[in-house]
Amino acid sequence: MSTGLSAPAPASALFHRLSRRDAPEIAFTINGEAVTAREGDLLVTAILTHRATLRKFEFGADMRAGYCLMGACQDCWVTLSDGSRVRACTTLVSPGMAVVIDEIKP
Amino acid sequence: MTIKDKSVVVIGAGPAGLRAVEALSKAGLRPILIDEAPLPGGQIYRQPPVGARRDPKSLYGFEATKASDLHGLIVRLGDQIDYRPETLVWGIEGHRLDILSNGQFSQISFDALILSTGAMDRVIPFPGWTLPGAFTLGAAQIALKSQGVAIGRRVALVGAGPLLPLVAYQYWKAGATLCAVLDVTPFSPKVYNLLRLMRKPGTFAKGLWYTLRLALAGHPIQSGVRAIRAEGADRVEALVWIDVSGKERRVEVDAIGASFGLKSEAQLADLAGCRFVFDAKSRQWQPERTPEGRSTVPGIYLAGDGSGIGGADVAELTGEMAALSLIEDLGQPVEKARIQDLAKQLDTYAPFRTALEAAYPFPHHLIDQIDDSVMICRCEGMTAGQLRQAVSQRGATEMNRLKALTRIGMGRCQGRVCGPAAAEVLAREAKSTIEAVGRLRCNPPVKPIPVREVF
Ligand code: FES
């Protein structure tokens, strides 16, 4: 149950919230797991406050997490469960969004 | 057909584009203002998304009044302009723009066009720069200003210009944990004093070093840094650097914001057929712009950082200047005194620019240290070694030849990130100059668009 202030971000998160911690919550999923974002979050913020990566790099064995945050480098394209792809640094998170992130298989 | 029936388009709603549409509408035109962002301001005065709004003072500091004034322009002008946010111009052919908006494909024909497309961070690759947690300095600032987040729990910032102390100061003010602030250019008190005497924006930023030294007591704040690398298995775990005395230092961080000055976003000017000139000081090719804002193509005008890095205040002036030239060329008289006044104001920035360039020389040493194994193209993974091989074994001496041989610049970013570094690597390997190796030619679409939109 949401009490307005959610549990602290996991240690694996990259981004660290400094303000707007009490903005209304938005529920979405990452690989099927229910998580919350804050109203006004870009998708990159919504994801990177829970984990450190956005996608698998298709030309090598590593993960990526965005780079320029201004829509220039194209490093932050994220796949949604319907197969569509969005640029996470220029797309707002919306309720029910279902993000799919391939993990590197060891 | 009167001037009012002319189709005039301005691309980019930063300080240059906003002042341009203001001047155009004053002259009785109804310009179309196209911008990729949902809200006006450009990157410098970028506004947080609705829902993430905060008061301008905390966002823009001492520039708050300027920012609010520019943001308010769109409201004040109302339907005197045709403002189209969240719209991408992905191609230009002749006097026609290819547009993508809301998933819809369309075209706009224009009689006159002002390109105020802004700038992005200049990137110099270093070991570990593609690890999750390594961002540009501009990205670090955007995360904070637009989203109220720090890029990590323990952050290091690295740069070569006035943006570095500014972002560091903003991070400190916001309560982030800064573990290192490193400038790769030497700190020269003489140049600093010169800048201070000129009393221009940016001078203040340099003065922030002193505040920072006090604020971050105990954490390294250094200039003259000789080399950097990010370490980590699958994300950034530490920043390692060689300090000015040659000693290796290391600090554990989970995020790094690093980039080294700015470069013009000039892809659309290229597609429009504008001639480019090489600017030796900033080591980049830029669309040729007369002091009055004309390009080499009739009907196409240039303003702001997209055609010469000058900063936000200069962008406002060049935006209005380009608009006045456009109006004049359409045959409507303009106030000569205003043009002279703008020219005079712009003149006062020239010595400041020179001093700034002296204060922040290009960090050649970072290029010299790029190892063969370092990835230059983060889109497709080409390394410095592969580029060098194309030079030594296949005789590449020019950027577009290098592109054909290695695919450098053909990834999704179209060379925005890798272009400047690739040119530096090529010039060194071919024992040529950065000017002689030329620049990557641009192809539409300038940014990725859904494939179905093209066919
Ligand atoms: S992070 Fe560069 S385009 Fe999104």
Side-chain angles (χ1 to χ4, degrees), chain A residues 28-85:
Chain A
F28 74 112
T29 65
I30 302 174
N31 291 341
E33 191 190 327
V35 285
T36 55
R38 296 288 173 183
E39 195 182 296
D41 274 3
L42 292 162
L43 189 54
V44 64
T45 306
I47 298 173
L48 294 183
T49 46
H50 292 282
R51 51 179 287 144
T53 58
L54 298 175
R55 69 176 179 107
K56 215 169 106 190
F57 177 48
E58 59 273 54
F59 295 87
D62 42 86
M63 300 291 286
R64 289 290 171 84
Y67 183 59
C68 74
L69 300 189
M70 56 167 81
C73 76
Q74 317 303 327
D75 197 70
C76 66
W77 285 82
V78 160
T79 307
L80 303 180
S81 63
D82 64 359
S84 63
R85 286 155 44 79

Side-chain angles (χ1 to χ4, degrees), chain B residues 112-124:
Chain B
L113 172 70
I114 297 179
L115 294 171
S116 44
T117 43
M120 71 170 284
D121 295 78
R122 173 161 58 191
V123 174
I124 301 178

Side-chain angles (χ1 to χ4, degrees), chain B residues 64-224:
Chain B
T65 320
K66 226 179 273 173
S68 303
D69 185 48
L70 280 167
H71 295 155
L73 246 179
I74 296 283
V75 180
R76 287 201 300 282
L77 291 175
D79 66 359
Q80 289 171 262
I81 63 168
D82 177 355
Y83 173 49
R84 304 191 190 179
E86 292 186 271
T87 300
L88 171 73
V89 177
W90 59 266
I92 301 184
E93 227 182 292
H95 276 219
R96 203 193 61 210
L97 305 174
D98 294 311
I99 308 284
L100 180 67
S101 186
N102 241 324
Q104 296 297 310
F105 172 83
S106 64
Q107 293 182 327
I108 295 176
S109 295
F110 62 85
D111 296 300
L113 172 70
I114 297 179
L115 294 171
S116 44
T117 43
M120 71 170 284
D121 295 78
R122 173 161 58 191
V123 174
I124 301 178
F126 52 86
W129 75 291
T130 58
L131 282 170
F135 296 92
T136 62
L137 200 50
Q141 190 180 39
I142 288 167
L144 183 65
K145 295 216 292 191
S146 157
Q147 297 283 277
V149 300
I151 52 173
R153 282 194 174 270
R154 295 173 54 82
V155 178
L157 299 174
V158 187
L163 186 61
L164 175 67
L166 189 62
V167 179
Y169 180 76
Q170 289 163 340
Y171 263 60
W172 169 67
K173 274 286 245 193
T177 305
L178 275 181
C179 301
V181 179
L182 308 177
D183 193 323
V184 298
T185 62
F187 178 76
S188 151
K190 212 169 81 205
V191 176
Y192 165 67
N193 281 330
L194 191 65
L195 280 168
R196 204 184 44 181
L197 284 175
M198 291 183 185
R199 295 169 190 279
K200 290 272 187 219
T203 317
F204 180 72
K206 193 88 192 182
L208 288 178
W209 278 109
Y210 296 103
T211 318
L212 279 172
R213 264 180 228 287
L214 297 173
L216 303 190
H219 287 303
I221 303 178
Q222 300 186 355
S223 32

